[in-house]
Amino acid sequence: MCDSSSDAPCSGSQPTIDPTKYERKRVPGMCVKCKVAKPNVTIRRSLYCKECFVRTCIVKFRTATNRSRKSTTTPRTKLMVALSGGPSSSAMLSMMADFQRMHIKGTAAQPLYDDVVAGHVDESALFPEVKESLIADIAESAGVKFMSAKLEGIFADNGEASAFAKTVDEAAGVSQEVKDRIYARLVKSGANISSKERLKAFFAGLTTDTDREEMLDVLKSLLLVRLARKEECGVLLMGDSGTRIATKIVSLASRGRGFSLPFEVGAESTWFSDVAVYRPMRDFIMKEIGFFNRWTAQKTVVVPTFTTAAPARASIGRLTEAFVVGLDQDFSSTVSTIGRTMQKLEPQKRARDALPCLLCGLPVEHNAQEWKSRLTVNRSSDAAALPYPSRSTDPTDRCSENNGQTAADVTRLLCYSCQSIVHSAAPGTVFPGANASSYRNSHEDLRRQIEMFFIDNDE
């Protein structure tokens, strides 16, 4: 046995390891990677030369891509890269195309995916200054197929009730001043108004730039998922950078989207059962993406929005962006800390099993309407006049029975954030109902499934 009173080490004990032995030693004033070249850029207080920085970005992207592929059970399938033409999506498309070609030319000759497609949403109906031809050139230079969907296509006539109009059910004694319930009627695309005109009228009916920005993001996400399904792509890559994700986390939570937050900004989202959504650019800050595009000569396009060149207080998104970016300049770990904190959040089981929102398609919290009612101040006379919907009566049945002409209470079919948007919109505003037909068809499918168990009167 060892003598505890002796200062000499035991002969059978393990030798003490110097904790600084395996640390990465840095050469002052030199690149943190190669340690021989002078640095060209500083990222999070680390110095990089041009060559090492580009190589580090590529390795970081491929690591994130492989991690996402291994964490899900999605089989090898076609991949769609969401391309807006901005810096982040252009860099993502370039690195993904190179990664795909590297596997094809490798010894195993086993590509990551069957094919890579660039998916784009054409916003020229709202922002005609965007040059769509330049965005197509970005996909062509990357050597991938380019597919585009027009933003007004969300109102396209597909033979079904694909939109709903905000209205007031006068028979129920509800006035326009009451904000606790949302009454709407299903509408079909008419020949007297084009999809582009309906899109412009929809955004004109929204009262704030915050609502317009949120709905623009919602519509683009829905169209990208729809485009991925059309092209039979099982995976969709979104180009949200770490800076963008940190901004969205704060702004979405402030607008009441905390219930669906893991699906909107998570590294991997499987909310859409047939399309897995990955965000491999989440570890990049905008400064990294800017220098990568500059040193690799990537083409980019300026993508405007409703608050472009507007002051920081123009919308919640702009205000949050100014706050996060300004804080990150003084504390370089701000963006990464917000992102890592978000990755610890897991979707609740009831969120996975929840019904999709009629407007945005994301999960609806069961008690969202009750929670909003407790936070809303109304006159007692108006509150007493509100009819409480019965669980035995489905509001979608009322719409289907009257061919979409009867107003129905759709409050429980909307998430908290979408309820706020519809509440503040002008009466008569026609909203795109991403799941308007699915709610009605779900009852018809259920009846067909149990029809065989019905007993006829003759038996």
Side-chain angles (χ1 to χ4, degrees), residues 15-73:
T16 304
I17 300 177
D18 184 7
T20 62
K21 180 178 180 180
Y22 297 101
E23 288 184 358
R24 180 182 296 174
K25 295 183 179 180
R26 300 190 179 189
V27 178
M30 293 297 176
C31 174
V32 71
K33 288 290 185 179
C34 64
K35 302 178 180 61
V36 295
K38 291 193 173 182
N40 300 103
V41 65
T42 303
I43 302 294
R44 295 191 179 100
R45 299 182 181 179
S46 297
L47 305 177
Y48 294 92
C49 65
K50 179 179 178 180
E51 291 74 14
C52 291
F53 173 77
V54 173
R55 192 181 306 113
T56 300
C57 290
I58 295 175
V59 171
K60 185 191 301 185
F61 174 82
R62 294 178 179 178
T63 301
T65 303
N66 286 328
R67 191 188 308 126
S68 298
R69 292 175 63 245
K70 293 178 181 179
S71 62
T72 59
T73 58

Side-chain angles (χ1 to χ4, degrees), residues 354-428:
L355 292 174
C357 175
L358 185 65
L359 184 55
C360 67
L362 292 170
V364 177
E365 191 172 7
H366 177 63
N367 295 323
Q369 194 274 333
E370 286 79 2
W371 183 38
K372 185 175 180 60
S373 297
R374 289 194 298 267
L375 298 178
T376 305
V377 178
N378 288 323
R379 294 181 301 179
S380 59
S381 58
D382 289 339
L386 287 175
Y388 193 81
S390 173
R391 292 182 180 272
S392 61
T393 304
D394 193 332
T396 55
D397 292 339
R398 296 175 59 189
C399 290
S400 59
E401 291 175 0
N402 296 279
N403 298 322
Q405 299 302 320
T406 302
D409 183 2
V410 297
T411 310
R412 296 184 183 276
L413 307 183
L414 298 172
C415 64
Y416 179 88
S417 181
C418 289
Q419 286 185 31
S420 301
I421 293 176
V422 178
H423 271 310
S424 60

Side-chain angles (χ1 to χ4, degrees), residues 168-230:
V168 177
D169 193 346
E170 298 179 356
V174 179
S175 64
Q176 295 184 0
E177 298 178 357
V178 180
K179 299 295 184 179
D180 281 352
R181 295 282 188 266
I182 299 175
Y183 289 88
R185 56 182 175 82
L186 296 179
V187 297
K188 292 185 179 181
S189 300
N192 56 343
I193 181 173
S194 64
S195 299
K196 183 180 293 187
E197 293 174 348
R198 177 158 287 175
L199 179 70
K200 293 181 178 180
F202 163 62
F203 281 100
L206 303 179
T207 56
T208 64
D209 286 335
T210 298
D211 293 345
R212 296 187 186 98
E213 282 189 336
E214 182 174 352
M215 286 311 307
L216 181 60
D217 291 340
V218 166
L219 297 187
K220 289 194 294 185
S221 299
L222 292 174
L223 287 173
L224 285 172
V225 173
R226 184 183 299 181
L227 189 60
R229 289 169 177 163
K230 180 181 177 181

Side-chain angles (χ1 to χ4, degrees), residues 231-295:
E231 294 298 317
E232 299 180 350
C233 297
V235 177
L236 174 64
L237 295 189
M238 303 292 283
D240 295 324
S241 64
T243 307
R244 173 64 175 164
I245 288 178
T247 302
K248 290 179 68 174
I249 290 173
V250 180
S251 61
L252 291 175
S254 65
R255 294 201 296 262
R257 286 195 173 272
F259 189 67
S260 60
L261 198 59
F263 299 110
E264 296 192 69
V265 296
E268 301 96 18
S269 174
T270 56
W271 169 249
F272 303 100
S273 58
D274 53 346
V275 178
V277 180
Y278 300 156
R279 294 177 177 86
M281 302 296 289
R282 64 188 181 276
D283 295 328
F284 292 81
I285 60 176
M286 288 306 300
K287 183 178 180 181
E288 291 178 279
I289 297 174
F291 276 98
F292 177 83
N293 289 341
R294 177 182 178 184
W295 287 337

